[in-house]
Amino acid sequence: MKKISILLSIATVLFSACSKDDNKDTADAIKGTTTLTFDAKVGSEDFALNKDFTISGTTYNFTQLRYWISNVTLTNTDGTVYKVPSSYYLLEENNAIAVQDGKFEYPATKREDVSISGIPAGTYNRITFSIGIDSTYNDNLSLQSGELSQLNGMTNIAWMWHTSYIFSSLKGTRAGTAITIETGLNTNYRTLSFALPANVTINSGTTSHFTLDVDVIKIIDGLDLATTPTVGAAVPAMMTQVADNYSTKAITVSK
Amino acid sequence: MRIVLWIVLLSAGLLACDQSQPLPEAPVSVPGNFPAMPATPGNPLTKEGIALGRMLFYDTRLSGNNKRSCASCHQQSLAFADSFALSNRGVSGKQLHRSAPALINLAWASNGLFWEGGSTNLESQAFGPLTNEDEMAQNLYELVAELNGVPTYVSLFKSAFNDNINAANIVKALAQFERTLISGNSAYDKGVFNEQEKRGLILFNERCRSCHATELFTDNGYHNNGIDSDFSNDTLEGIYQGRFRVTYDSADLGKFKTPTLRNIALTAPFMHDGRFKTLEEVVQHYSNGIKISATTDNRLLHQQVLSAADQAAIIAFLHTLTDTTFIHNTQLSNIQL
């Protein structure tokens, strides 16, 4: 009985301590919305599925481009940082995908836009986000946040016999040979941060829009896909290269 | 002797902040000689969650053909193992490539699950057997729809998680029940030994305890115990290569998880592929059957051969780790909706 009452008092303290966040703003009405567009490219061309592209003299044809954008923050010109809650977004362009050995099908999807609402009114000059899933969520598929799901073919149970997320996946053919380029180790998680080209004012009366270019040529930069057409856990150094490509060259702010 | 510990952490209380009415934590009986049960703040044990997990564990609705449950390969009478080396009792009827492990004291298995440690927690691990086409072959969408057709499940998920039925809550409930599969009430725990068993314990501590360590009888580590010396076969996503298939570190070739030896007399056959039929074969292997390769555990090299009497004493000791209250515990037994 004594234990129970101690527990109850601890619980009371904890729970009363957290109920204060609810009405910290004078009104939700002043909060704003913005849209991030991740515009997939092949060099200067628009990315497209099932279409031949020539990269360094070799023909590529892609069937899938998918990657997670997570843990988005926006930095106000006054230095305060707004962390977008539950920000796990699956960006993708893919043909229909057989999930769970074909037990069901994930439909063909094209998704380049992420709409973020509830942003405190202010002027922002920096955006930060990660490619992949942080280890807390990557290591535990039962923790749910944002768009994380076991059902979209971006978890892998047999792959490495790991139960975790695939961070990024690019599939297609190179000179007629199938290629698969995936990342997903906790060490492949990368955070990117960009100063915005101009300050952006966000409030209930504004419409704002950031565009980031995602260049597939840069994603595969430096990979010897002729020798190793499958980039996965068996070639960790190549996975690291892909993760580095995403964070250092493949994604740029265009406007 | 057992004491009752309240498994409560401040972090669990803090995490529960965004929920209106968190459930009280469940009291779980932990043997007095065990370390404290590690906390699982993302999925705290509750009476409701454990009861739901138990029901799901025994429910054949969790398989694609509605004929297999978790308990099909993890039977209480066998300390939640089965009696096969490599079972073919999954939905496809194909032979599996791993022996079903006994589910014992998994709440303390904090260094990876599966024989090579590819999964980090019981929640994520459950997706493996649930969805593998040769095991339960369950389409997760179908499973959620099927369980939603059972009004009792709808209300049980509501009371356990204050949420709808979804894949995440299914594995959370299963993990909660699995964490209550606690065995620590054997003759060993009571200190009841005859002379042979006592001598066996001394030999065991000398020869086996460094890996089968602590009161849990496992170090939760990965070792090459010398049952093979050639790991060049990389077929089936490296299934014959041990932990290497997870880490791709050549130092991990042929390493497999140290299983607990609690209830070991109930869980034959032995090793990750069930190659040894009896404890006699196992002890003989450690006595004079070690195959040496680059990753063989150092502690197994240059060991003295055990006499027949010593081998028999170790085996007699291993039988003292059988916990009959565990396999007859009615709180862990089959309950069906």
Side-chain angles (χ1 to χ4, degrees):
Chain A
M1 234 12 244
K2 191 176 169 193
K3 277 182 192 161
I4 293 171
S5 52
I6 292 168
L7 287 175
L8 282 176
S9 55
I10 293 170
T12 310
V13 171
L14 287 172
F15 297 130
S16 55
C18 31
S19 58
K20 288 176 188 161
D21 298 338
D22 295 343
N23 38 19
K24 59 179 184 276
D25 275 320
T26 44
D28 278 354
I30 63 164
K31 289 182 174 176
T33 299
T34 194
T35 302
L36 308 179
T37 297
F38 291 84
D39 189 8
K41 305 266 193 189
V42 180
S44 57
E45 290 181 74
D46 199 25
F47 177 85
L49 297 175
N50 316 311
K51 175 186 169 183
D52 285 351
F53 291 97
T54 303
I55 303 173
S56 306
T58 304
T59 304
Y60 286 77
N61 189 300
F62 299 101
T63 54
Q64 166 170 322
L65 170 64
R66 311 180 91 194
Y67 52 93
W68 289 99
I69 297 290
S70 66
N71 297 308
V72 180
T73 66
L74 294 167
T75 306
N76 194 300
T77 49
D78 68 10
T80 58
V81 174
Y82 174 65
K83 191 176 178 304
V84 180
S86 306
S87 49
Y88 294 88
Y89 308 105
L90 180 58
L91 282 295
E92 57 186 336
E93 205 158 327
N94 55 261
N95 296 327
I97 298 168
V99 182
Q100 268 193 257
D101 309 306
K103 288 209 165 46
F104 57 88
E105 190 178 85
Y106 184 92
T109 309
K110 177 169 178 172
R111 195 274 182 99
E112 295 191 320
D113 288 346
V114 172
S115 176
I116 300 173
S117 55
I119 303 167
T123 303
Y124 292 88
N125 62 4
R126 175 167 288 278
I127 183 166
T128 304
F129 57 85
S130 299
I131 301 283
I133 308 294
D134 51 281
S135 62
T136 302
Y137 285 89
N138 193 39
D139 288 342
N140 189 337
L141 297 185
S142 75
L143 300 178
Q144 304 255 273
S145 186
E147 297 171 10
L148 293 175
S149 164
Q150 307 83 18
L151 301 171
N152 55 22
M154 281 295 266
T155 60
N156 207 320
I157 287 155
W159 185 70
M160 306 188 292
W161 207 237
H162 268 196
T163 39
S164 58
Y165 291 94
I166 297 170
F167 291 180
S168 70
S169 175
L170 176 66
K171 292 184 182 180
T173 58
R174 176 196 178 280
T177 301
I179 53 170
T180 298
I181 297 140
E182 293 184 330
T183 60
L185 301 174
N186 285 331
T187 53
N188 297 149
Y189 182 73
R190 292 289 183 280
T191 298
L192 290 71
S193 189
F194 296 101
L196 298 174
N199 289 352
V200 176
T201 299
I202 297 177
N203 59 50
S204 61
T206 62
T207 309
S208 56
H209 194 191
F210 307 118
T211 300
L212 299 111
D213 286 345
V214 182
D215 186 353
V216 167
I217 295 178
K218 301 278 176 49
I219 293 173
I220 60 174
D221 193 36
L223 302 179
D224 181 0
L225 295 171
T227 308
T228 310
T230 301
V231 177
V235 283
M238 288 179 81
M239 290 175 93
T240 301
Q241 175 76 57
V242 175
D244 288 343
N245 286 348
Y246 268 99
S247 66
T248 61
K249 53 181 85 160
I251 301 181
T252 49
V253 171
S254 72
K255 56 183 187 283
Chain B
M1 184 182 133
R2 286 168 170 232
I3 56 167
V4 173
L5 297 180
W6 285 86
I7 311 302
V8 171
L9 277 190
L10 297 184
S11 58
L14 288 168
L15 279 174
C17 276
D18 54 337
Q19 290 172 8
S20 49
Q21 280 189 321
L23 293 164
E25 306 269 347
V28 176
S29 178
V30 172
N33 52 341
F34 276 27
M37 186 186 281
T40 49
N43 187 21
L45 297 184
T46 63
K47 193 160 67 65
E48 292 79 1
I50 294 165
L52 173 58
R54 177 182 172 191
M55 213 165 267
L56 292 168
F57 187 87
Y58 286 101
D59 194 334
T60 54
R61 290 183 184 91
L62 266 68
S63 60
N65 64 0
N66 289 342
K67 289 178 180 167
R68 295 287 178 270
S69 69
C70 304
S72 301
C73 297
H74 299 285
Q75 300 165 19
Q76 185 180 14
S77 60
L78 301 174
F80 296 94
D82 65 12
S83 57
F84 305 107
L86 300 173
S87 170
N88 60 2
R89 304 286 176 100
V91 166
S92 69
K94 287 188 201 155
Q95 189 172 61
L96 302 177
H97 301 286
R98 287 280 188 262
S99 193
L103 309 182
I104 303 168
N105 300 331
L106 294 176
W108 288 268
S110 50
N111 189 35
L113 297 147
F114 294 130
W115 281 102
E116 57 280 271
S119 189
T120 315
N121 41 67
L122 288 167
E123 287 83 354
S124 307
Q125 183 276 337
F127 285 117
L130 265 178
T131 60
N132 185 296
E133 58 182 338
D134 296 325
E135 297 186 41
M136 298 171 82
Q138 177 64 62
N139 173 333
L140 295 172
Y141 277 116
E142 264 178 29
L143 177 58
V144 170
E146 218 170 326
L147 297 183
N148 266 314
V150 185
T152 312
Y153 269 129
V154 175
S155 69
L156 288 174
F157 275 86
K158 187 82 188 156
S159 65
F161 298 109
N162 193 25
D163 198 2
N164 297 326
I165 300 176
N166 59 42
N169 290 335
I170 291 168
V171 297
K172 280 184 175 177
L174 286 169
Q176 286 195 39
F177 173 63
E178 288 178 283
R179 291 192 177 101
T180 69
L181 303 178
I182 298 170
S183 173
N185 192 28
S186 62
Y188 163 81
D189 296 290
K190 294 170 193 150
V192 178
F193 301 111
N194 65 27
E195 285 309 308
Q196 188 193 31
E197 291 160 354
K198 209 177 287 176
R199 211 167 69 77
L201 171 58
I202 293 165
L203 288 163
F204 179 86
N205 285 340
E206 283 170 17
R207 291 288 292 258
C208 320
R209 199 71 184 257
S210 60
C211 291
H212 295 286
T214 78
E215 297 297 287
L216 298 164
F217 288 86
T218 172
D219 60 358
N220 284 327
Y222 301 86
H223 305 279
N224 174 351
N225 65 345
I227 54 176
D228 288 309
S229 55
D230 177 2
F231 307 104
S232 58
N233 182 353
D234 63 359
T235 57
L236 294 170
E237 297 183 315
I239 200 146
Y240 303 109
Q241 298 179 306
R243 188 158 170 78
F244 175 81
R245 74 194 299 229
V246 171
T247 64
Y248 289 93
D249 178 348
S250 56
D252 285 333
L253 276 168
K255 292 188 179 175
F256 292 90
K257 191 173 168 61
T258 312
T260 181
L261 297 186
R262 286 187 172 275
N263 302 297
I264 197 70
L266 300 173
T267 64
F270 305 104
M271 305 295 152
H272 65 277
D273 52 6
R275 69 178 67 187
F276 295 137
K277 290 183 188 66
T278 62
L279 286 173
E280 283 73 14
E281 285 180 40
V282 174
V283 174
Q284 232 160 49
H285 163 73
Y286 286 113
S287 170
N288 51 16
I290 301 292
K291 295 178 185 169
I292 297 172
S293 65
T295 56
T296 310
D297 197 286
N298 281 331
R299 288 164 288 194
L300 297 174
L301 307 176
H302 319 299
Q303 288 274 21
Q304 285 193 339
V305 172
L306 290 159
S307 69
D310 286 353
Q311 292 187 32
I314 289 175
I315 291 165
F317 164 70
L318 292 175
H319 278 83
T320 71
L321 293 170
T322 299
D323 176 356
T324 50
T325 59
F326 178 58
I327 61 171
H328 294 121
N329 184 344
T330 53
Q331 292 190 319
L332 308 179
S333 60
N334 190 353
I335 183 163
Q336 276 184 337
L337 201 58

